[in-house]
Amino acid sequence: MAQRSITSFFKPAGGTSGTEESSSAKRSRQESPQSHGKIGEPEKKVQRKSEESDKKENKSKNSETKKESPKAKKTSPKSKIKASPLKKEIKLSPFKKEVTAGPIQKQISGAKKEANLIPLKKEISEDTKEATNNDEITGKATSSSSTAEKEVDKNDATPVKKLSVESNQCGAEYNPAASKYHPIKDAYWKEKQSTPYLALARTFEMIEDTKGRYKMVEILANFLSSVLLLNPEDLLSCIYLSINQLAPAYEGVELGVAETTLMKVIAVSTGRELKFIKTQTQEIGDLGIVAERSRVSQRMMFTPKPLTVQTVYQKLRAIAKSSGKAKSPIIHDLFVASRYSEARFIIRSLIGKMRIGIAEKSLFQALATAIVNSRQYDDKNKKKKQSEADIKKDIEDITFILKTAYCQCPNFDKIVSTLLTHGLDDLLKYCSMEPGVPLKPMLAHPTRGVSEVMDRLKGNFTCEWKYDGERAQIHRDEKGNVNIYSRNQENNTTKYPDIINRIEHFMKDTVKSYIVDSEVVAWDIEQKQILPFQVLSTRKRKNVDVEEIKVQVCVYAFDLLYLNGEALTSKNFEERRQLLRDNFNEVEGEFQFATSCDTNDPDDIQGFLENSIKGNCEGLMIKSLDNDASYEIAKRSHKWLKLKKDYLTGVGDSLDLVVIGGYIGKGKRTGMYGGFLLACYDDENEEYQSICKIGTGLNDEDLNTHAKFFKEHTIPTPKSYYRFDSSLEPDTWFEAVQVWEVKCADLSLSPVHKAGIGIIDPEKGISLRFPRFIRIRDDKSAEDATCAQQVAYLYRNQDQVKNQKSNAAEFDDDFY
Ligand code: ATP
């Protein structure tokens, strides 16, 4: 990657207007529970305390001899022994036994004599293959340096000392939270040196210990400023690691590592018993912390080569690419090379939950701040003078540019490489929209009736039928490649070979490339009418053979986002709609434009709504025709309102909730689950918050289907990021893998449920009254479930609540 000089890279951004801080960003971070959010218990504090004691432990020269937290002591499997649990554990560790009696020990002693690392690596590698039952985990990784980093004789204290002396120089004290942080002097690595992973882990640590979002962003920004000034080549890895992604979401790169695999690796690598790791995880609620503790208590013969952000990122990618058992050796490699809190964050990356509350929104702010910070330092590392107001304005402008670039091109590889080669000013030019790269769709706000629509949309608007199918973003590039993406940017192309086969007929000769936004619905060829969503859902999800298709589909196109090399998103809806109509042909039952009615008359709207329902639709989408009604990528916008038939009074919308547990059925439901515990997703705290129990709307067939499905997804204990009251504990816990659409009579404040806790009331969450199961939402992942802010918005938007005075913030249009 060609790299610009530091000073030329950070050219001031053009005068683009800033965006507002989102309402969610305004909300102060909640104390997220260490595990189960039991009412009245300051659990986070308990966890923090134990984490703090761990941190102290990390810093200690003889950390093995420190006592573990009282919690761990209480349940230690060998609690009858008087010695401190940790000490005792080392004494009794099965790994130690192996070391004492087994061939590894021989090799280590041999190595001590020879003091030669390379032959030792080889010997251990062969030995391990032959003599331990851990091949699966160490496997080929034994050929790398990490395998040489074994525990050594407990009488040999030298390596421990070495580690503690090293701790002062190796970044264990790195503090990106320092006030007046200097991105060059306060970084412990030098220009052009690879960015140490420990610096990033320390950054995560500090963020985790911070409550305010502003400070969290500042900490990340400080670290990123150092990266930008010292080795910008590492920026991409730092970004991906911070938001726990490995590639653009639409590439679907998944780590695919089970928690039990991680536990096994930790057990084998540290010599701790698997049972002990499991108990600890259950108690602490965080395998990352358990991993860190286990790692800290290890003595090492050789100081491992420090991990860099690039190594960690590349190894995580390698884990994602490798299949099954081949993953474990790479994880093992990473784990044994980790120091201090590195183990915690490596394990959390592998689990898929960083628990530091940094999502894309905060990342953009931090990166923008880092860019502004970095350009304040001239070659002599002295700070240039700039007023606070100018700095703030610059940060806002750059955040806006970054967000816009990401909305058009949700690909950090491209954004970062453009930043480094062309600078900020050209970012939007190079990271523009293009067919083949799915966009996050524009979404609508719910309303509860025609009068609410009239209150909200002041100018001209149009009403369209709201089709009940599956959103489809159809992309065609100049070469004729066609792809269909879901609402979630998943590639659904192989689901619709029939659409692909006939798609060329729908466009006029003038068309070379396009992105059409549409809804695919099931279509009855004989009756020439739309069929309900349930029919569409019977269609196979992938690799559909066109010969076997039983459910025919029709595409209802409602927007055109790109045409012949030009992005249309900044044009208003009326223009885009005209271009759609001018450049495409309707074919009945195959490709049609959304039925619409441009009217501001409430009676006409009401009549049109009734027609839409007769036409097997869900209701209406009402869209502004004002001049500024651009296509707002990745936004839930007030320029689009949805009006659904069932909710003309009441809540206004259904909710999409994650199933996290099941209650064993009684009576007629014996032998299956009779009810389920549902949760919304709080993207700010990265946790699932319980919102209701549900048992209504589920027929026997549903119950059987759910029982079969969740059998494959049960977990022995709730995930540490499930927030619920102990009184609601289900009989079986599930992984957060399925989303259900649910309707309810209304929403109320709840002393037991945790949805949106802290938004409306500091101690109460929100729950659903009379929830009813509607359907499974296969097109939504658990993290796309209705978020805590939306739950609060729906709660607040109820008449009975609206009439009460509320100081709570509005749920503004913002990137979701
Ligand atoms: P959301 O997408 O708002 O989170 P959701 O996925 O549950 O909610 P709905 O509440 O049903 O979806 O409403 C929005 C969806 O309606 C769009 O994402 C789109 O798939 C569908 N839709 C159907 N007809 C239209 C139309 N004419 N214009 C826009 N969207 C439409």
Side-chain angles (χ1 to χ4, degrees):
M1 189 192 299
Q3 198 182 305
R4 304 177 79 197
S5 75
I6 285 166
T7 31
S8 66
F9 164 45
F10 307 113
K11 281 192 284 182
T16 329
S17 71
T19 45
E20 278 184 16
E21 171 78 302
S22 76
S23 58
S24 67
K26 282 176 201 155
R27 178 185 160 203
S28 71
R29 236 162 92 83
Q30 296 304 305
E31 289 276 290
S32 74
Q34 64 151 339
S35 60
H36 313 155
K38 279 181 194 152
I39 257 185
E41 273 184 34
E43 280 152 307
K44 182 79 177 192
K45 277 186 198 148
V46 174
Q47 185 195 2
R48 286 252 161 88
K49 255 191 181 172
S50 72
E51 284 169 21
E52 272 158 24
S53 73
D54 269 6
K55 274 177 223 153
K56 279 180 202 149
E57 215 174 22
N58 292 4
K59 285 176 197 162
S60 159
K61 282 185 183 177
N62 296 307
S63 53
E64 304 81 24
T65 56
K66 288 258 172 198
K67 280 181 189 168
E68 233 175 320
S69 75
K71 260 190 157 186
K73 196 170 181 176
K74 203 175 88 195
T75 52
S76 166
K78 289 145 196 161
S79 55
K80 278 182 193 157
I81 300 170
K82 274 188 183 163
S84 89
L86 200 55
K87 206 170 175 183
K88 169 196 66 202
E89 200 192 305
I90 286 168
K91 272 190 185 165
L92 301 177
S93 118
F95 188 82
K96 273 284 173 215
K97 276 185 213 150
E98 271 177 44
V99 169
T100 319
I104 291 175
Q105 170 67 9
K106 283 184 219 151
Q107 303 305 336
I108 290 173
S109 333
K112 271 192 204 162
K113 275 182 216 145
E114 287 170 40
N116 184 347
L117 178 64
I118 299 162
L120 173 68
K121 270 201 282 180
K122 213 171 151 196
E123 282 163 340
I124 287 178
S125 149
E126 279 156 15
D127 217 24
T128 314
K129 267 187 233 162
E130 197 185 303
T132 73
N133 57 357
N134 303 330
D135 291 5
E136 207 180 280
I137 285 164
T138 50
K140 287 205 178 89
T142 50
S143 65
S144 83
S145 62
S146 56
T147 317
E149 299 141 14
K150 297 289 175 191
E151 283 192 350
V152 293
D153 192 319
K154 63 175 182 268
N155 299 320
D156 184 355
T158 321
V160 178
K161 263 191 201 156
K162 204 173 152 194
L163 202 67
S164 68
V165 169
E166 183 205 29
S167 77
N168 294 326
Q169 302 150 1
C170 75
E173 310 292 332
Y174 173 63
N175 183 9
S179 59
K180 297 195 179 148
Y181 175 86
H182 190 294
I184 296 171
K185 289 181 194 157
D186 287 338
Y188 66 96
W189 66 104
K190 300 276 166 281
E191 197 176 339
K192 298 208 169 73
Q193 255 179 18
S194 300
T195 312
Y197 179 68
L198 185 55
L200 182 59
R202 287 283 298 159
T203 306
F204 292 161
E205 249 185 89
M206 309 266 140
I207 291 174
E208 194 177 3
D209 285 345
T210 302
K211 269 197 211 155
R213 179 154 299 275
Y214 178 81
K215 185 68 187 169
M216 289 163 70
V217 167
E218 183 190 303
I219 297 169
L220 183 60
N222 284 343
F223 166 74
L224 292 177
S225 316
S226 297
V227 175
L228 284 170
L229 287 165
L230 300 173
N231 194 351
E233 295 285 325
D234 286 341
L235 182 62
L236 183 65
S237 307
C238 294
I239 286 178
Y240 273 134
L241 291 169
S242 300
I243 54 167
N244 209 19
Q245 267 186 21
L246 296 177
Y250 59 90
E251 286 182 11
V253 180
E254 298 278 345
L255 278 159
V257 181
E259 222 164 287
T260 42
T261 307
L262 294 175
M263 287 179 178
K264 277 185 202 159
V265 173
I266 296 167
V268 168
S269 318
T270 59
R272 287 188 159 186
E273 279 179 41
L274 183 59
K275 214 171 116 194
F276 180 79
I277 305 278
K278 280 186 182 166
T279 323
Q280 284 270 290
T281 311
Q282 212 164 322
E283 272 185 22
I284 298 168
D286 181 357
L287 183 57
I289 296 282
V290 175
E292 182 179 352
R293 285 184 183 183
S294 309
R295 195 73 194 100
V296 157
S297 67
Q298 268 187 287
R299 296 174 178 205
M300 301 204 289
M301 186 165 184
F302 302 104
T303 307
K305 208 173 151 209
L307 288 169
T308 65
V309 288
Q310 294 260 16
T311 328
V312 174
Y313 173 66
Q314 290 306 339
K315 293 225 172 191
L316 291 178
R317 280 192 67 103
I319 292 166
K321 275 189 205 149
S322 50
S323 57
K325 288 180 180 170
K327 292 179 192 286
S328 297
I330 316 172
I331 300 171
H332 174 267
D333 243 18
L334 261 180
F335 182 67
V336 293
S338 63
R339 296 164 306 157
Y340 306 99
S341 59
E342 287 179 334
R344 184 194 323 174
F345 295 105
I346 286 172
I347 294 297
R348 286 191 189 166
S349 284
L350 289 160
I351 292 172
K353 285 269 171 273
M354 292 306 282
R355 300 155 61 118
I356 53 169
I358 291 288
E360 282 157 8
K361 256 189 282 186
S362 313
L363 175 78
F364 293 129
Q365 284 169 345
L367 184 54
T369 312
I371 292 174
V372 173
N373 281 350
S374 332
R375 67 180 184 212
Q376 288 183 307
Y377 291 86
D378 61 19
D379 290 341
K380 286 175 197 139
N381 303 341
K382 277 188 191 146
K383 223 175 167 181
K384 281 180 189 157
K385 285 241 153 74
Q386 207 183 356
S387 75
E388 285 295 312
D390 286 349
I391 293 176
K392 198 170 165 240
K393 170 88 175 47
D394 272 5
I395 294 174
E396 276 176 8
D397 289 349
I398 297 174
T399 307
F400 181 80
I401 293 174
L402 293 171
K403 273 182 179 179
T404 311
Y406 188 72
C407 284
Q408 292 176 180
C409 170
N411 181 330
F412 280 116
D413 296 65
K414 202 161 173 192
I415 289 176
V416 171
S417 81
T418 308
L419 263 179
L420 300 185
T421 47
H422 302 284
L424 258 176
D425 287 351
D426 285 334
L427 190 64
L428 295 181
K429 189 173 111 196
Y430 286 96
C431 295
S432 54
M433 189 188 293
E434 59 180 88
V437 179
L439 309 165
K440 286 194 173 189
M442 179 168 174
L443 298 176
H445 271 284
T447 56
R448 286 172 306 138
V450 177
S451 58
E452 192 179 341
V453 170
M454 302 303 293
D455 286 348
R456 280 174 173 248
L457 286 179
K458 295 291 176 213
N460 287 332
F461 51 83
T462 186
C463 304
E464 288 178 358
W465 282 15
K466 184 179 184 313
Y467 298 93
D468 194 8
E470 181 174 34
R471 195 153 182 171
Q473 210 176 79
I474 307 177
H475 291 228
R476 182 195 194 271
D477 66 18
E478 301 240 336
K479 291 182 188 143
N481 300 312
V482 180
N483 279 293
I484 301 178
Y485 297 99
S486 74
R487 179 195 181 282
N488 256 354
Q489 300 87 59
E490 274 167 47
N491 198 326
N492 261 352
T493 313
T494 62
K495 183 174 180 180
Y496 296 115
D498 41 350
I499 299 179
I500 303 291
N501 283 350
R502 57 197 189 216
I503 199 101
E504 297 293 308
H505 304 310
F506 310 144
M507 60 184 213
K508 294 201 170 141
D509 293 345
T510 46
V511 179
K512 306 264 174 303
S513 57
Y514 61 82
I515 301 176
V516 160
D517 204 354
S518 69
E519 186 87 352
V520 173
V521 293
W523 179 259
D524 183 336
I525 305 181
E526 274 152 31
Q527 302 295 321
K528 295 195 186 313
Q529 64 178 22
I530 293 168
L531 292 168
F533 171 81
Q534 282 69 18
V535 180
L536 182 72
S537 67
T538 60
R539 217 172 135 127
K540 224 174 109 187
R541 295 179 67 189
K542 276 200 168 106
N543 303 321
V544 171
D545 182 346
V546 87
E547 304 297 321
E548 287 170 8
I549 292 176
K550 291 195 182 76
V551 176
Q552 300 302 320
V553 291
C554 177
V555 174
Y556 277 93
F558 53 76
D559 218 319
L560 183 61
L561 315 184
Y562 182 95
L563 183 69
N564 295 341
E566 191 196 348
L568 306 180
T569 43
S570 56
K571 292 192 187 298
N572 66 46
F573 180 54
E574 206 163 8
E575 288 176 80
R576 299 197 309 272
R577 188 176 64 172
Q578 196 53 51
L579 286 166
L580 176 71
R581 290 176 181 172
D582 291 347
N583 287 282
F584 289 82
N585 305 310
E586 282 193 287
V587 179
E588 196 193 20
E590 293 186 7
F591 185 93
Q592 290 180 236
F593 302 131
T595 306
S596 67
C597 171
D598 298 359
T599 177
N600 280 28
D601 183 313
D603 291 337
D604 288 350
I605 301 174
Q606 189 62 43
F608 195 59
L609 172 65
E610 281 154 25
N611 283 343
S612 81
I613 291 157
K614 281 186 206 138
N616 260 337
C617 286
E618 267 193 304
L620 298 182
M621 294 292 289
I622 298 119
K623 301 180 179 178
S624 167
L625 292 177
D626 286 350
N627 256 341
D628 63 348
S630 58
Y631 187 93
E632 298 175 62
I633 308 167
K635 270 193 182 180
R636 190 174 294 283
S637 167
H638 282 287
K639 298 268 160 43
W640 280 17
L641 301 177
K642 53 187 176 187
L643 181 55
K644 293 196 194 177
K645 60 183 172 191
D646 294 347
Y647 286 93
L648 298 183
T649 55
V651 174
D653 199 9
S654 53
L655 291 95
D656 298 317
L657 303 168
V658 186
V659 192
I660 58 169
Y663 303 92
I664 306 286
K666 291 183 189 135
K668 266 171 72 185
R669 293 184 173 181
T670 305
M672 44 186 148
Y673 294 111
F676 297 86
L677 182 62
L678 302 185
C680 70
Y681 182 62
D682 180 12
D683 49 355
E684 197 147 322
N685 293 304
E686 295 182 86
E687 62 185 21
Y688 296 93
Q689 303 174 330
S690 84
I691 190 165
C692 67
K693 281 181 173 182
I694 192 168
T696 310
L698 297 152
N699 58 32
D700 287 351
E701 198 189 324
D702 293 331
L703 290 170
N704 274 321
T705 311
H706 298 326
K708 232 189 245 167
F709 177 82
F710 285 109
K711 205 171 159 196
E712 306 297 317
H713 297 281
T714 60
I715 44 175
T717 48
K719 298 277 185 189
S720 47
Y721 43 87
Y722 289 180
R723 197 165 187 193
F724 63 97
D725 185 75
S726 56
S727 64
L728 297 166
E729 193 147 339
D731 297 307
T732 313
W733 287 104
F734 303 142
E735 287 172 304
V737 285
Q738 193 169 77
V739 176
W740 289 358
E741 182 176 351
V742 169
K743 286 179 179 174
C744 67
D746 55 46
L747 297 104
S748 58
L749 286 182
S750 162
V752 286
H753 284 291
K754 306 289 178 188
I757 189 163
I759 303 178
I760 304 285
D761 184 288
E763 266 147 37
K764 287 183 184 158
I766 297 165
S767 68
L768 306 189
R769 289 185 59 230
F770 307 113
R772 193 157 41 94
F773 170 81
I774 303 298
R775 69 185 193 207
I776 298 170
R777 287 291 306 251
D778 278 334
D779 59 332
K780 283 196 172 183
S781 70
E783 288 182 7
D784 290 315
T786 302
C787 70
Q789 282 290 342
Q790 280 172 276
V791 173
Y793 174 81
L794 290 171
Y795 168 81
R796 231 184 266 134
N797 205 29
Q798 302 175 111
D799 285 340
Q800 64 273 32
V801 179
K802 263 187 177 169
N803 298 336
Q804 295 165 11
K805 205 175 160 207
S806 165
N807 295 322
E810 251 285 298
F811 182 55
D812 292 328
D813 286 4
D814 201 2
F815 296 92
Y816 54 84

